Each structure stands twice: as C-alpha cells, then as structure tokens.
Amino acid sequence: MEMANEEPKTVPQQITMKGGDGPLSYAKNSSLQKGVVDATKGMIIHAIANNLDMDKFCSQSSSQTFRIADFGCSIGPNTIFSMQNIIQALEQKHHENNHGNSSTILEFQLFFNDHSTNDFNTLFKSIPPSWPYFVAGVPGSFYRRLFPKSSIHIGHSSNALQWLSKVPQEVVDCKSPAYNDGSIYCRGIEKEVTKAYIAQFEKDMESFLNGRGEELVNGGLMVILMGGVPNGIPLSHTAIGKFYDLFGSCLLDLTNKGLVNEEKVKSFNLPLYFPSAKEVKELIERNGRFSIESMNEITEQLKRGQPLPNAQNCISHVRAGFEGLIKDHFGTEIVDEFFACYANKHLQSGFVFGDNGVDNTLMFMILKRI
C-alpha cells in the first residue's frame, strides 16, 4: 500500500543548549551571555532598590523567605551568577531599609526552570557547595504555569523569550502563502512569513505573561532580558540576520554534496523571533497583568563593556547553542560535518558579529505584577 505524502508538521520543541562540561558544551561556551549578566547587574540592583516593597513581603510571611525563579535557566554557570546578583540586591535593600540594625535573616529559595531535556545534572554540579540557599529544578516549558498561585517574589528570564515554543506551521508548508522558501529564519521582509512568526510570538508571550501573572505575588518583579531589533529594521539587515544567512548556507552546501535530504532542509526553520521594543511594550500593555517599571535597550552598554570574541570562540558558541537543533532535525550523523562547514565559512568570510549589519538590540525590562 502506497503511503500518501504528508505535509511537514511542527510540534512544540524542547530547545536546550549542549549539555555536559566538555570543550564544546554551553557551560564552557557562554561567555557572551555572561557579558549580559555582568552588564545588567547594576541595573538589577537599582530596579530592586526602587521597585520592590520588601517590607510588605516580610510582614506577610513569618518565615521571610524570598522565592526567585529563573525561566529558561539553561545549564550554567550564568544562571547562578544571575541568581546571585538578585540575592545581593535583595540583601542590600533589606540592610538599607533596616539601617543595618535588623536581626532578621532572609532565606532564599531558588528555582531553576528549563525543558526536561536540559542538563540539570551539570547545572547542579556547578552550584557552590557552600551556597546557603534552597534550590530546586523545575522542568517544563515556561509557556505554561509552573508554580502555585502567588508563590514567586522575583522572576528572571535572560536570552530565552526570543525562542518560540514551535516553528509556525505555515512557514514549512509549501502550499501556504507563508511558506518560507529559501530561508531558515524570519527575515522580516516577506510579509506572510513575518505575519506567521509574529502570530506565534504573540501567542507565546501571552502564555508567558499569563503564567507569570498567576505565579508572582502582587507587587512582585519580573526581570526580562531578550534580543530584538531596532524599530523598523528587519532582522535580515542586522548582524544576527547575516549570521543566520551564513548558517543556512551550510545546509545548502551539504545538500549539494548529497549529505542532507533537500526536503529536510525545506522543512527546517529556526524557532526564533526577534521583536522590536514597540512590539513587546504593546503586548505587555495589552495583557494587563504587569506594569512596565522600566524598559531599556542596552546594546551600547554591552559593546563598551565586552570585547568581541575571536573567531574560534564564536564558532564554539554557535555549536553550543545550535547543535541540538541540527541533531534533532537532521540526525546525529551530519552534526560534525555541518559545524566543520560552518567553521570554514565563518573563517573565510571574516564574519564578526559586531561588524556585519546593523546592531541587534538587547532589551532590559522590569515588570511589576499588578
């Protein structure tokens, strides 16, 4: 019996970074993300000092335990640094509120959230043994509820919300007007493709805000860092867009060599969408569960505080972040060949993230549960 041809289906994806602590792991190749943590430390301290009513929370709870959750924590060590920065800010504010005379000792319960396929073992091995905090892993998508109602005081999410829950179905359906022919990402130029990606992003963001709206206490804070594009600039004109073009060309090379099935390439798109600050602001206001206490684009701060990595570091970072996607869609057997191709193209082109195209933005937001 002949099987009918089936249209490619997109399903919710569990995107995780490369596990372990080997030389190609995310744990060893996330210094660019660490730069974001370092650049925003002072901003987090300032935000907590000015926007969080700690006395209110302490008076509500005899245990005086603060619960902090990192949504999309990945493997570490950056999530640990982020949690430590938030704790430092809370302790500093508590000390200043009580003029250094309080006998109260705050306790902290920390939740590390990511997909069930995340390498939580490596994450927990990297936690300092002397850490005086209570920690737990929470597997599951942050596009749904993860905690009991009004149980979290501070939420945090860094470089995670540009990852969609899945690729929009229309963009890999060759019969759809939104079919993303010849590209692996939302370039921001093709109208129907962009509409499909925007619709998925809006649905995912609404789910994220609704979930956190249930979980955060009234007056609790949500700290969000996410990649974006300048208002009015399509992603294809930015440095990250140029990178995705380079990345996608490797698949075409492997197809021409007969190493990858052409239909597999046509059904591959990155589950990523980089919004503008205007888009994000409108979504948060429409949702109505949070007030925007501050919203800043911090690209320049990052450029001043962090030197550009060399080519080999860039190549290692790319593999740590994208190996799982390539393996899941195309199979294990082409992974080494694909990234060898990418490394050669990267070196031959002299690609530099800070020099190729318009700078992408990094948005830093402080939301308060209302």
Side-chain angles (χ1 to χ4, degrees):
M1 181 177 176
E2 186 176 341
M3 297 295 289
N5 290 330
E6 294 184 1
E7 294 297 337
K9 301 292 185 183
T10 61
V11 297
Q13 294 175 271
Q14 296 197 23
I15 308 300
T16 53
M17 304 297 104
K18 185 172 176 60
D21 58 0
L24 296 177
S25 67
Y26 182 79
K28 290 291 196 296
N29 294 283
S30 53
S31 60
L32 291 174
Q33 293 86 342
K34 174 62 162 56
V36 173
V37 175
D38 293 341
T40 56
K41 178 178 179 179
M43 300 172 73
I44 288 174
I45 291 174
H46 182 268
I48 289 175
N50 288 280
N51 297 292
L52 188 71
D53 186 352
M54 288 188 67
D55 292 335
K56 170 186 173 183
F57 297 136
C58 287
S59 64
Q60 289 176 348
S61 171
S62 59
S63 68
Q64 301 192 359
T65 298
F66 275 80
R67 297 178 184 86
I68 309 166
D70 190 13
F71 297 95
C73 64
S74 194
I75 299 158
N78 294 332
T79 183
I80 296 171
F81 296 137
S82 296
M83 289 291 207
Q84 189 64 61
N85 290 345
I86 292 171
I87 290 170
Q88 179 183 335
L90 288 167
E91 290 180 330
Q92 182 174 316
K93 182 174 176 67
H94 181 66
H95 181 80
E96 292 171 354
N97 282 0
N98 293 280
H99 308 290
N101 298 319
S102 174
S103 60
T104 304
I105 298 176
L106 298 179
E107 292 188 311
F108 298 96
Q109 188 171 19
L110 313 179
F111 299 100
F112 295 93
N113 158 252
D114 213 310
H115 289 294
S116 59
T117 51
N118 187 57
D119 185 1
F120 284 102
N121 287 335
T122 295
L123 169 59
F124 286 118
K125 285 178 184 176
S126 65
I127 293 176
S130 59
W131 243 27
Y133 315 124
F134 303 95
V135 300
V138 181
S141 170
F142 52 56
Y143 291 127
R144 63 176 178 84
R145 279 280 301 278
L146 293 164
F147 298 100
K149 187 176 178 66
S150 300
S151 61
I152 302 297
H153 296 92
I154 296 181
H156 176 271
S157 182
S158 179
N159 290 307
L161 284 171
Q162 62 265 25
W163 289 95
L164 302 176
S165 64
K166 65 175 185 176
V167 172
Q169 177 66 44
E170 310 93 294
V171 304
V172 293
D173 180 357
C174 62
K175 297 178 182 177
S176 167
Y179 177 52
N180 196 16
D181 190 18
S183 182
I184 64 167
Y185 71 102
C186 179
R187 301 171 70 233
I189 295 175
E190 297 83 7
K191 182 179 178 181
E192 294 301 323
V193 173
T194 303
K195 281 172 59 179
Y197 268 95
I198 288 174
Q200 186 63 53
F201 174 72
E202 290 182 347
K203 179 180 178 181
D204 286 343
M205 274 297 292
E206 181 74 5
S207 297
F208 180 86
L209 294 171
N210 285 340
R212 307 301 78 82
E214 291 292 320
E215 297 160 352
L216 263 67
V217 300
N218 188 267
L221 299 183
M222 186 69 221
V223 181
I224 297 176
L225 293 97
M226 67 182 302
V229 293
N231 289 326
I233 303 295
L235 185 61
S236 61
H237 291 182
T238 69
I240 288 181
K242 303 298 182 185
F243 155 64
Y244 291 151
D245 288 333
L246 189 68
F247 194 82
S249 70
C250 297
L251 292 173
L252 296 179
D253 287 357
L254 297 190
T255 302
N256 292 334
K257 291 180 179 179
L259 298 175
V260 176
N261 183 284
E262 185 178 359
E263 294 305 311
K264 275 281 189 181
V265 175
K266 288 182 177 180
S267 65
F268 180 74
N269 265 232
L270 296 173
L272 284 158
Y273 181 74
F274 290 81
S276 67
K278 180 174 180 289
E279 287 177 275
V280 176
K281 182 174 183 291
E282 289 175 352
L283 285 173
I284 295 168
E285 291 175 344
R286 187 193 311 165
N287 178 265
R289 291 174 175 265
F290 294 89
S291 63
I292 301 175
E293 300 300 302
S294 64
M295 187 172 189
N296 302 292
E297 296 181 6
I298 60 170
T299 308
E300 290 304 317
Q301 292 96 311
L302 283 176
K303 289 173 68 177
R304 289 197 299 269
Q306 184 177 15
L308 289 170
N310 62 39
Q312 192 55 56
N313 281 343
C314 278
I315 292 165
S316 298
H317 275 65
V318 168
R319 179 157 186 169
F322 289 91
E323 179 176 312
L325 273 175
I326 296 298
K327 184 185 296 183
D328 288 348
H329 192 84
F330 296 100
T332 306
E333 59 276 7
I334 75 146
V335 169
D336 288 338
E337 184 80 22
F338 175 86
F339 285 102
C341 177
Y342 174 77
N344 288 334
K345 281 178 173 278
H346 186 110
L347 293 170
Q348 290 171 8
S349 68
F351 187 90
V352 179
F353 276 98
D355 292 348
N356 291 70
V358 177
D359 283 330
N360 288 78
T361 62
L362 183 70
M363 290 174 273
F364 177 85
M365 292 168 271
I366 300 294
L367 311 183
K368 179 180 283 188
R369 178 70 174 96
I370 54 178

